[in-house]
Amino acid sequence: LVFAPGALMALGGGELERVELDSQRAVAFALEHRLDHLNTLDQRDDSARKVVVAEDALRTGLSLTARGRATSDDGQPFDYDFGKSTWSLSAALDLPIDRLPQRNTYREALLAHDSAVRAAEQSADQIDNDLREELRSVGSRVSSYEIQKNAVELAQKRIESASLKLDAGRAD
């Protein structure tokens, strides 16, 4: 924060109202509302979903297929003889024997997820650190303002004292 010249006087006498901020609440609020951090959390969640999809590609698969065919006699389109119909049932078992590309995709998804988790933690830590540093800086600037305000008051009192001494003839 930078105090603009004259801005404090326009606000009503130049007095700063001290506002106490709980750093824990400020950090929690920032983590819930910073869009860049929320995007990082969404990327972490997306990477977790990709891990689940890659893991699913490694599972064993079983497909069942049933077929039936019934034909009618010539000239009788709605007269079916179900005794002459053909039926078939098939099963296909997909064993996870040779799944090198899927395994590599799964490993890449795990690594990407770990990286996204670290990025989310780093984002949260960076926001925490930056916010605490800014809060300390604001506190320091407020203290500096109060010191400068007291110095101005002291200088005004010295000017009054010097002018009184000069009027009384005690000073040159």
Side-chain angles (χ1 to χ4, degrees), residues 49-58 102 105-107 109:
R49 284 189 285 276
K50 287 179 183 177
V51 168
V52 171
V53 169
E55 190 177 83
D56 187 58
L58 292 172
Q102 291 87 349
T105 302
Y106 176 66
R107 285 184 179 174

Side-chain angles (χ1 to χ4, degrees), residues 87-103:
W87 300 92
S88 67
L89 179 65
S90 62
L93 182 62
D94 184 18
L95 296 174
I97 295 173
D98 188 24
R99 300 263 175 108
L100 184 63
Q102 291 87 349
R103 188 192 67 194

